[in-house]
Amino acid sequence: MKKAIFRLSSVLLFVLLASLSTRAQQQDEILKIDTRLVVLDAQVLNKNSAQQIGGLAAADFQIFEDNVKQDVGYLTQDKLPLSIILLLDVSGSMSPLLKELQTQALSSLQRLKPEDEVAVMAFANEGILTQSFTKDRELVIKGIEKAISREVVRHAGGGTNINEGVFQAAREMAKLSNAQSRRVVIAITDNLSRVSRIIRSHSPKETNQELLESGTVVCGLIVQSMLAKSARAIGTATTAAAIAINPIGGLAGFAIRKAVTQDFNIKAYAELTGGEVLNADKADAAIGLGKLFDHLRSRYTIGYYPANQNFDGKFRKIKLKLTPDAAKRLGEDVIVRTRQGYLAKIPVEKPQPVLANSKHSSAAPAATSSPATAALTPSATNEQQIPEEPVRAIKPPKKPLPPEEQSANVTKFSFIVYGDTRGRRDGVELQYEHSLIVNSSVQAIKRLEPSEHPIRFVLQTGDGVANGRINRQWNVSYIELINRLTQDGGVPYFLAPGNHDLTSAATHDDPQRQIGLKNFYAANAELIPQNGSPRRMTDYPVFSFGYGNSFFIAFDSNIAGDEKQFEWVKAQLEGLDRNRYRNVFVYSHHPAFSSGPHGGAKVELQTGIIRQKYMPLFRKHHVRAFFNGHEHYFEHWVERYEDASGKHRLDHVLTGGGGAPLYVYAGDPDTRQYIKDNADQKVSLERIAKPPAEPGGGAYHYVLVTVDGEQLKLEVIGVDWGRDFQPYRSNKTTLSDQDK
């Protein structure tokens, strides 16, 4: 009998039940690890007819992990919803094929169940999400239309980097909060990787790991373009053998590039994850997509408890096959193809609900907030304790700011501002997008060092990590990046707290904030003014400093309503020598005005308080600019007003492109009441840089502010694919009015 192929696309709901507890005699957080479950999503079919085989039971299967037989814990078929990303190759050779697919895709989408959700991502050299997960099929069609639009194609780049497209799709999957769904990427491509320019791309090893950790299955619809037919006529190499030998590292050495093709293709990733690949001509693309949907609906969900409970982070091979009795009953035409394995890593998510263990139960795993985990019954005999490392302090800058009085004569310098660096994999790996900001910033620091406007420090407007209460997110993903700025760049770094750093609790003493505050203080112990000093609010993450002719205040906008904080900020402003400090800058996480998901018609609590209390204070003391984040894009408002001393301008600069997932325009804020309430000062508002309307229109970026006496210039510097980012129809502006 021929060896069966079980198409196991493990939704790698590989997981654990983890609980965090604190002991009175020990302040370290304790991670209690109980038992783990591996959950596989699988498909069985006839190799000749491709007919899906249903009606099988747990007793029909055998699972082997590293050649050791495992006990099947449960089995269901087509019980869990699908989360699908349509990954569209938008390179030039595919453009006419995708336009044809767009007109026919609705009929294919109707084959999914109502509870199934679909997202759309375009890729060429880069991956760009054009429609987030939705159950609205019309929105999916619009997402396809956006993916093939000229603007998105331009931002995606000119080549076809299949490796990067798959990586970005798997990373998007990792953001899902519904751990019950089965995660599938369907790549529609001619399967030819072509890198048209030198770019920083994730390696195949990184892509493989992202697929395994996010529990993503890769399927492919390979459409025959003219270029593909020409390329295959001269032959291409395969990578399946390399992956089979070493699924994590095998592709790393596969750097052979032919004149047209690069040998990292969809078939290789489908082989690793147990996905399915269909071939189609232009006219049959929609039919092929429908077939893939049908096949996905026919999969089984199978779970087992690994006999080896030592989760050491290594790759473990999985072999799934029919029992001898089942194989005899179904016949030799049954094809078995299985995912090659999984990474036995300890998940980093918070504790999850418990699923009672019922051997051979048909119940599916309970939903959890982890993208690749499912919880099990705790096992008292298997409990072990791992203390979590305390948050490390960022290294002090090699070139700290001098005492304020020593820089009194400085009138020319520059500084960097950016915000929202939290990453999708905080606690697991270094923040990649943030690293692009840091690398570019260090280059700028070194480039401008001999100039008359050297960069003297960096301001960060908050949300350094995704969850500031988790120590490893600071230690693993954030600290070393800031060390690059303080050591390689040599400059001070001043972080204002964001809601992800401390939670959104609105009062300073709220118990929810305390762990985040402890970690914030630990990380920034060598950077911000010491507690009790004149430039630090006692027992608050609120501080100020002066350099040259400019003064800077960072406040905690999460607790904007805190009266003590407001009085401290007020006292700092009232006590300034304005003959020296000609320029005053304030920064915090929450903005006064924004047009993204946190703004528009919505007025968040913190925003409302900032408008009512802080803005009149800032106008009274002629603050030059108010820097913020919270929205993950760039936006710039100008507030003009008059008082007894004349006409003035206050710039609201929102720079939230430090690495968190980018946002788009959601609607204009209603500023009518604000203008009415401040009519005595003839307040007016003008937006001079609007956030992007479509995915791909923004960029990861930072802001360079140049101080030349009282003349202020601002430059928005995009990184990676956003290097040409021009929010003002250029990337520069002046923070002053000519007719002032």
Side-chain angles (χ1 to χ4, degrees):
M1 177 184 296
K2 295 186 178 179
K3 189 177 181 180
I5 308 171
F6 203 98
R7 192 160 297 146
L8 179 151
S9 48
S10 162
V11 170
L12 217 288
L13 289 165
F14 149 54
V15 249
L16 60 81
L17 174 65
S19 60
L20 293 174
S21 65
T22 305
R23 296 192 174 184
Q25 71 272 23
Q26 183 177 358
Q27 293 185 353
D28 291 333
E29 289 179 306
I30 302 298
L31 181 67
K32 291 186 176 181
I33 302 172
D34 302 294
T35 189
R36 293 91 168 176
L37 171 70
V38 176
V39 181
L40 312 173
D41 191 53
Q43 184 180 45
V44 184
L45 66 157
N46 184 287
K47 71 175 183 180
N48 295 322
S49 65
Q51 180 180 357
Q52 311 304 298
I53 298 175
L56 299 178
D60 293 321
F61 295 99
Q62 293 177 316
I63 300 176
F64 295 85
E65 180 180 292
D66 287 343
N67 296 320
V68 177
K69 188 176 180 180
Q70 310 291 315
D71 292 332
V72 178
Y74 67 83
L75 178 144
T76 66
Q77 185 176 18
D78 195 22
K79 295 289 187 182
L80 302 179
L82 289 164
S83 294
I84 299 172
I85 292 180
L86 295 180
L87 182 62
L88 307 181
D89 179 350
V90 296
S91 60
S93 60
M94 286 292 295
S95 179
L97 305 178
L98 292 178
K99 289 179 180 178
E100 183 74 19
L101 176 66
Q102 178 194 346
T103 63
Q104 304 176 23
L106 185 58
S107 60
S108 300
L109 291 167
Q110 289 172 344
R111 301 169 108 162
L112 296 173
K113 288 185 175 181
E115 60 268 28
D116 296 333
E117 57 183 354
V118 181
V120 182
M121 178 177 285
F123 82 95
N125 274 342
E126 304 286 345
I128 297 176
L129 188 71
T130 60
Q131 174 58 54
S132 58
F133 283 103
T134 179
K135 298 174 185 177
D136 187 331
R137 307 307 181 221
E138 293 291 344
L139 289 179
V140 176
I141 298 299
K142 290 180 180 178
I144 297 174
E145 183 179 0
K146 290 179 185 177
I148 62 178
S149 67
R150 180 176 301 178
E151 181 181 10
V152 171
V153 170
R154 177 173 62 84
H155 281 289
T160 309
N161 193 337
I162 289 177
N163 183 66
E164 186 66 16
V166 173
F167 178 92
Q168 295 297 340
R171 176 159 284 190
E172 192 66 29
M173 281 293 189
K175 294 165 56 181
L176 278 173
S177 60
N178 179 13
Q180 269 196 314
S181 65
R182 297 179 288 152
R183 297 146 189 237
V184 184
V185 170
I186 298 180
I188 302 177
T189 176
D190 58 10
N191 206 31
L192 295 179
S193 268
R194 301 174 295 280
V195 180
S196 63
R197 58 186 175 92
I198 300 175
I199 60 171
R200 197 284 184 191
S201 174
H202 290 88
S203 69
K205 179 180 178 180
E206 291 174 306
T207 302
N208 292 343
Q209 182 157 329
E210 191 74 24
L211 288 169
L212 292 173
E213 291 187 355
S214 64
T216 300
V217 179
V218 177
C219 293
L221 183 63
I222 299 179
V223 185
Q224 298 296 313
S225 67
M226 290 302 297
L227 181 59
K229 292 177 180 178
S230 299
R232 291 187 180 99
I234 63 173
T236 62
T238 180
T239 60
I243 295 179
I245 295 171
N246 186 349
I248 300 301
L251 281 175
F254 249 80
I256 301 173
R257 288 177 173 83
K258 295 191 175 183
V260 178
T261 66
Q262 177 185 347
D263 295 325
F264 306 137
N265 58 48
I266 292 299
K267 290 182 178 179
Y269 291 121
E271 181 75 15
L272 172 67
T273 62
E276 180 178 10
V277 176
L278 298 180
N279 295 311
D281 290 325
K282 174 181 176 181
D284 298 329
I287 296 174
L289 183 61
K291 286 182 179 179
L292 281 177
F293 288 157
D294 289 342
H295 291 182
L296 291 173
R297 288 254 51 99
S298 303
R299 295 177 182 261
Y300 295 88
T301 302
I302 304 173
Y304 71 96
Y305 305 95
N308 180 2
Q309 288 286 300
N310 178 26
F311 286 85
D312 52 9
K314 295 181 180 179
F315 181 80
R316 295 184 183 177
K317 294 181 180 179
I318 293 177
K319 185 176 183 180
L320 179 67
K321 63 181 184 178
L322 298 173
T323 63
D325 288 345
K328 182 177 180 180
R329 183 175 75 250
L330 295 173
E332 62 180 14
D333 291 335
V334 173
I335 299 180
V336 175
R337 185 179 298 161
T338 184
R339 155 190 286 279
Q340 295 179 0
Y342 71 100
L343 292 174
K345 297 183 68 174
I346 297 176
V348 299
E349 301 297 329
K350 293 160 58 175
Q352 307 298 340
V354 174
L355 170 69
N357 173 20
S358 175
K359 188 174 178 66
H360 299 298
S361 168
S362 61
T368 73
S369 62
S370 168
T373 63
L376 287 180
T377 305
S379 171
T381 60
N382 195 37
E383 182 179 286
Q384 51 183 304
Q385 297 181 346
I386 301 176
E388 190 172 16
E389 179 188 11
V391 172
R392 300 191 302 273
I394 298 164
K395 294 178 181 178
K398 289 186 174 181
K399 300 175 183 177
L401 293 182
E404 289 184 29
E405 62 274 10
Q406 294 184 17
S407 68
N409 295 324
V410 175
T411 60
K412 295 183 179 182
F413 66 97
S414 58
F415 60 93
I416 286 171
V417 191
Y418 66 89
D420 295 275
T421 59
R422 63 178 178 88
R424 293 167 177 155
R425 295 181 57 73
D426 282 357
V428 178
E429 64 185 17
L430 209 63
Q431 294 168 339
Y432 169 67
E433 290 83 0
H434 186 193
S435 74
L436 301 175
I437 301 292
V438 169
N439 293 342
S440 179
S441 296
V442 170
Q443 291 173 7
I445 291 166
K446 293 180 178 179
R447 184 179 70 253
L448 293 177
E449 180 59 32
S451 73
E452 63 177 350
H453 297 101
I455 296 172
R456 284 298 176 235
F457 48 85
V458 176
L459 309 181
Q460 215 271 44
T461 61
D463 278 4
V465 295
N467 188 338
R469 293 175 292 177
I470 300 178
N471 298 16
R472 62 184 170 274
Q473 294 199 6
W474 297 96
N475 289 337
V476 173
S477 303
Y478 182 82
I479 300 294
E480 287 307 316
L481 285 176
I482 311 308
N483 282 339
R484 292 185 195 173
L485 288 169
T486 64
Q487 303 305 296
D488 296 345
V491 299
Y493 186 91
F494 300 104
L495 170 68
N499 57 295
H500 280 266
D501 302 320
L502 305 184
T503 77
S504 296
T507 59
H508 181 58
D509 295 330
D510 191 306
Q512 296 182 59
R513 283 170 51 92
Q514 302 317 304
I515 295 177
L517 274 171
K518 175 185 173 183
N519 290 343
F520 180 93
Y521 293 146
N524 295 282
E526 302 288 343
L527 302 181
I528 64 177
Q530 292 299 304
N531 200 24
S533 69
R535 295 306 189 200
R536 168 80 177 276
M537 184 179 178
T538 303
D539 295 332
Y540 277 69
V542 180
F543 56 91
S544 62
F545 64 93
Y547 179 76
N549 65 346
S550 301
F551 193 77
F552 300 81
I553 299 176
F555 73 96
D556 184 355
S557 59
N558 297 298
I559 54 170
D562 187 292
E563 192 62 30
K564 292 181 181 179
Q565 174 179 237
F566 178 78
E567 290 299 324
W568 188 89
V569 172
K570 179 181 177 183
Q572 291 288 301
L573 291 170
E574 290 177 345
L576 285 181
D577 176 4
R578 294 308 297 263
N579 289 323
R580 174 190 169 171
Y581 292 119
R582 309 298 293 175
N583 308 310
V584 177
F585 303 94
V586 180
Y587 66 106
S588 70
H589 188 59
H590 296 81
F593 308 101
S594 69
S595 309
H598 292 296
K602 178 193 303 181
V603 180
E604 292 186 342
L605 172 65
Q606 294 85 352
T607 291
I609 296 173
I610 289 170
R611 290 184 188 180
Q612 293 170 12
K613 295 192 65 170
Y614 282 88
M615 294 317 303
L617 180 67
F618 295 166
R619 291 195 301 270
K620 178 180 179 180
H621 293 280
H622 300 160
V623 170
R624 295 294 304 275
F626 184 29
F627 297 103
N628 315 102
H630 203 37
E631 306 276 21
H632 304 168
Y633 56 55
F634 182 81
E635 187 171 13
H636 190 165
W637 290 79
V638 174
E639 180 171 352
R640 296 180 176 88
Y641 61 98
E642 298 180 17
D643 60 17
S645 63
K647 296 181 178 180
H648 301 275
R649 165 175 170 157
L650 195 166
D651 286 80
H652 298 256
V653 180
L654 198 163
T655 170
L662 294 174
Y663 293 166
V664 296
Y665 173 81
D668 288 346
D670 187 347
T671 62
R672 292 173 295 180
Q673 188 63 46
Y674 180 80
I675 292 172
K676 180 179 178 181
D677 291 344
N678 298 285
D680 59 325
Q681 290 189 293
K682 298 182 180 179
V683 167
S684 66
L685 289 166
E686 178 190 8
R687 183 173 51 205
I688 63 174
K690 186 177 181 179
E694 303 288 345
Y700 294 112
H701 69 275
Y702 60 96
V703 168
L704 177 65
V705 181
T706 301
V707 177
D708 195 331
E710 294 185 52
Q711 295 298 311
L712 307 177
K713 296 181 180 179
L714 184 148
E715 181 178 0
V716 184
I717 301 175
V719 299
D720 201 43
W721 50 267
R723 286 188 293 269
D724 297 328
F725 185 45
Q726 297 185 343
Y728 305 105
R729 295 188 179 178
S730 72
N731 69 327
K732 299 178 181 180
T733 190
T734 301
L735 306 188
S736 63
D737 290 328
Q738 299 298 322
D739 59 349
K740 181 178 177 181

